[in-house]
Amino acid sequence: MTYDLIVIGGGPAGYLGAERAGHAGLKTLLIEKRFIGGVCLNEGCIPSKALLYSAKIYDNARYGEKYGITVQNAVLDHEKVIERKNKVVKTLVGGVKAQLKRNNVTVVEGFGEIAGRNSEGYEVKVGNDTYTAKRLLIATGSMPIIPPIPGVREGIEKGFVLTNREILDLKTVPASLVIVGGGVIGLEMASYFNSAGSKVTIIEMLDHIAGNTDREISNILMKNYQKKGIEFKLNAKVVEVKEGSVIYESNGEKFSAEADKVLMSIGRRPVVEGIGLENIGVEIEKGHIKVDERGKTNVPEVYAAGDVNGYSMLAHTAYREAEVCVNNMIGKKDIMRYNAIPSVIYTNPEVACVGETEETAKQKGIDYEVANISMRYSGRYVAENEGGDGICKVLVDKRYRKLIGAHMIGNYASEIIYGAGIMIETEMRVEDIKEIVFPHPTVCEIIREAIFEL
Amino acid sequence: MATPVIMPRQGQSVESCIITKWNVKKGDKVKIGDVLFTYETDKATFDEEAKVEGTVLDIFFEEGDDVPCLTNVCVIGNEGESTAEFDPRNKDAAASEKSASEEKSVSAPVETKEVPAETPAPAAPVSSGDRIKISPRARNLAERTGVDIRFATPTGPEGRIIERDIIALRESGPVVTPAAMSEYMASGISPMTSGTGLGGRITTADVEAGISATAVAASQFAPAQKPEAEFAEVKLTNIRKVIAKAMHNSLSTMAQLTLNTSFDATEILEFRKKIKETKDRMGLENITLNDIILFAVSRTILNHKDLNAHFLDDKMLVFNNVHLGIAVDTERGLMVPTLFYANLKSLNEISREAKALAESCQKGTISPDLLKGGTFTVTNLGALGIESFTPVINPPQTAILGVNTVVQRVREVNGEYVYYPAMGLSLTFDHRAVDGAPAARFLRDLKTNLENFSALLAK
Ligand SMILES: Cc1cc2nc3c(=O)[nH]c(=O)nc-3n(C[C@H](O)[C@H](O)[C@H](O)COP(=O)(O)OP(=O)(O)OC[C@H]3O[C@@H](n4cnc5c(N)ncnc54)[C@H](O)[C@@H]3O)c2cc1C
């Protein structure tokens, strides 16, 4: 039997692509070697958020005095937190499986490898079985980068060096935790384990944390976490990992940080090896599959979506990319746009951004204007954030007077940011946004406030 | 004495002309022979010179206005003189007033004679013909919703776009983002049917891409108005508009196809050489290869009359004489003057007349009456090195011959390869009017005649 589409990988790109394809009437097969839901559902977005919410409740209980609440004997029971996390994951994975079924997607468990082409289409091997389809969607995602630092491999084998997979299943809270890499994943894990009681040290090679986040905002975030007791070692390079400590170099000097556990979170790389791409000649560029704006690879009817194409490494990007691929498969014109993809750090306070930062706008030579205001312009923010020092920044392209970027730090930012994304994507001008009614009192009003500063 | 200057009538078929440029303004002093304004028919451009001396007292039309022939355009006289009596707009007003009062006075008598309701003559169009008619309400909505009104299908009275047309367009047509709108409309780029934004919205990036694409194209046409401008907005000349319409009409309404062949040009090349040597002695024109082809066509096509014809949907006009359209490349664009009765003219006459026609096209002085009436057209891209192409028929004609360059070809003669000069012919014909075989037969006869040109001359 020939399928219309074989999807390799059951993460956000794969499962959503399969659902949409099935819904559109394509005979679809999905191959997943581990767990449906991929990194995002099983060992990424969702479990981390479950943990962070538990930490937030705990923090609210512990630091409630500012709001007139005193709680005695608040306890974070890590085992129960993990248990609940597993329940959340199970519920959601079950939901995805049900959706796949509802959309008539056949799911095969096992490792898929592209074997070649025949007159019917492309052949994919899973164990001893071979499946054929007219089209392929490659959605094999990404995996953590493990640097060749002495001691890291042995540490992983022995279980004291962890990746996102293991850390989300730790049975006990380590007394000390060194996180190598101050990006989104590292910061979120730091946030949880800091609340849960670990002594957390973040070692970052750059002079700032949180990657490409607006520099002012990442500094505010760092200060917040320094206050909570996290130590940041910037401009620092890990040179060796030993049982119990991490050796790093900074300004030519060597230091040691105490570490019961070490989390490696220096980045992720697309999974492009061992899946048979070479058997049909799919082009790989700088370690990721090269696709055009429609998600097409260089090989006819072979598409790729999600982390494997190396563009943005976010689950919601993966969703949309998969949809673009499927739309093009069924003859519907659609292209992927990356100019309004929100990104969120689910720390406490949250950070959320969309569009150009001042840094990227400058690089692109955009003539822009910024409004930068305190979150305290929002009544609800003041009511709910004693001593909060969040800010909201909006960037406006001067030529068109349109919004091109929005950046904020402060809780609920994650839920607000999509609104700014819509404004950017539809190219609303300052004067258009001024006409929008925001619910009051909410934190999202901050966008309106910022816009009126321009 | 104040003297009105009228819009001249250039040929019997011309109803109105467009003023393309004013060289004087109100209050300027002019001498006889000064160019007052430039105007265009749909085929050519002319300058109107002052025939009297004096001051420009009044100007009634602006650049871009389409002015009916014989209408007063401006007035020259002595300062202080009144011009009101010459103002065509006043005349219309006066005429309609008069007719209104006449109506009154005739309706008074008891006899109920049917009075023809005399509609006032339409005011001379003061706005350019291409302006979009749209109700303010519809325009407002269009601006707010970001649709491109140029795509709206007007359903209001007198072809006016009304609100419901904009609502319909919002569903079906391209939507422009608020930020992109003003530059999209102002930049003069061609309308886009969709963009790369959300739901196909046209974004600022699309407009920027459109502008740079237009700039590349525009650089071929006109010098940029501002040296610092990234692009130049090039308004289509009337001639360009006519060409655009005619070409599109031609290709969209006919069943055109092209046959390509070539002939051995040895004989006509030799013939031309001979003429070149003897022309002064014999008092002959400088006869070109194209003239020779025009002559051969005029002597061949009457045996293939379906190609010397007009196709008018339910009937065909099949002509007994050959009026050859000759495509001429001019600065202003393609023009096709007609060489009438080519079949009755000698090669020398054809040569002389073809040259004269081309020259007056170049100068823009060609009479519009000479720009129509063709029964078959010849177009020549040979000088530009083209080896074969697809000429586009000038409707309602049924065919057009494209003349190509001469290339060296090889053929086998007695087991040996010999070179000969081959000239290409590309015949586009309307398959609605003529079938492939008869069209091919015409080409074959033409080829024979050209290869045996001295025999044809002897006939
Ligand atoms: C700790 C952590 C937190 C994160 N938090 C967020 C967040 O809050 N928000 C966000 O947007 N993103 C987050 N991400 C990123 C997000 O998880 C990824 O962007 C997303 O999972 C990418 O989806 P994907 O479908 O491309 O790939 P993946 O989710 O990696 O899925 C790929 C799937 O393919 C399977 N596979 C691979 N090769 C084969 C094969 N040959 N045969 C069969 N199956 C195969 C894998 O087993 C995997 O299940 C987080 C990531 C991590 C690690």
Side-chain angles (χ1 to χ4, degrees), chain A residues 172-194:
Chain A
T172 53
V173 175
S176 58
L177 173 66
V178 168
I179 295 178
V180 184
V184 178
I185 295 170
L187 289 168
E188 289 185 0
M189 288 301 102
S191 178
Y192 173 78
F193 284 98
N194 168 255

Side-chain angles (χ1 to χ4, degrees), chain B residues 207 350 420 424 430 447:
Chain B
V207 173
I350 286 179
Y420 72 100
D430 185 353
K447 177 175 159 147

Side-chain angles (χ1 to χ4, degrees), chain A residues 153-172:
Chain A
R153 298 228 161 253
E154 299 85 324
I156 289 179
E157 275 159 29
K158 290 195 178 150
F160 70 88
V161 176
L162 317 167
T163 68
N164 60 294
R165 182 172 293 167
E166 296 81 34
I167 199 168
L168 287 163
D169 276 333
L170 273 188
K171 294 280 175 297
T172 53

Side-chain angles (χ1 to χ4, degrees), chain B residues 43-87:
Chain B
K43 306 239 168 68
T45 307
F46 305 89
D47 286 334
E48 182 65 8
E49 296 174 358
K51 296 183 182 69
V52 296
E53 209 174 84
T55 304
V56 178
L57 297 176
D58 213 343
I59 286 177
F60 304 130
F61 296 93
E62 292 167 27
E63 286 177 9
D65 285 352
D66 191 1
V67 182
C69 292
L70 309 181
T71 306
N72 293 340
V73 177
C74 64
V75 184
I76 299 174
N78 299 322
E79 267 167 72
E81 284 179 302
S82 160
T83 60
E85 60 176 303
F86 300 113
D87 190 334

Side-chain angles (χ1 to χ4, degrees), chain A residues 55 151 252 339 346 351 370 383 417 439:
Chain A
N339 64 328
Y346 295 82
V351 171
V370 197
I417 201 67

Side-chain angles (χ1 to χ4, degrees), chain B residues 201-269:
Chain B
R201 278 175 176 72
I202 295 164
T203 64
T204 51
D206 297 329
V207 173
E208 281 166 24
I211 288 173
S212 46
T214 314
V216 172
S219 61
Q220 311 165 4
F221 288 104
Q225 281 151 335
K226 295 184 208 128
E228 75 275 17
E230 270 176 62
F231 61 92
E233 182 176 325
V234 182
K235 271 209 175 154
L236 291 190
T237 60
N238 233 3
I239 292 179
R240 195 75 246 156
K241 282 189 206 157
V242 168
I243 293 173
K245 219 164 159 182
M247 291 299 159
H248 184 252
N249 175 38
S250 175
L251 284 176
S252 58
T253 58
M254 289 193 205
Q256 303 192 14
L257 70 155
T258 304
L259 305 179
N260 290 297
T261 187
S262 71
F263 66 93
D264 181 345
T266 311
E267 181 156 345
I268 63 166
L269 287 170

Side-chain angles (χ1 to χ4, degrees), chain A residues 79-99:
Chain A
E79 240 182 290
K80 288 227 174 89
V81 171
I82 298 292
E83 234 169 71
R84 189 191 87 94
K85 180 262 313 183
N86 290 340
K87 200 179 86 194
V88 170
V89 170
K90 208 171 148 200
T91 307
L92 292 174
V93 170
V96 171
K97 285 185 176 160
Q99 277 286 23

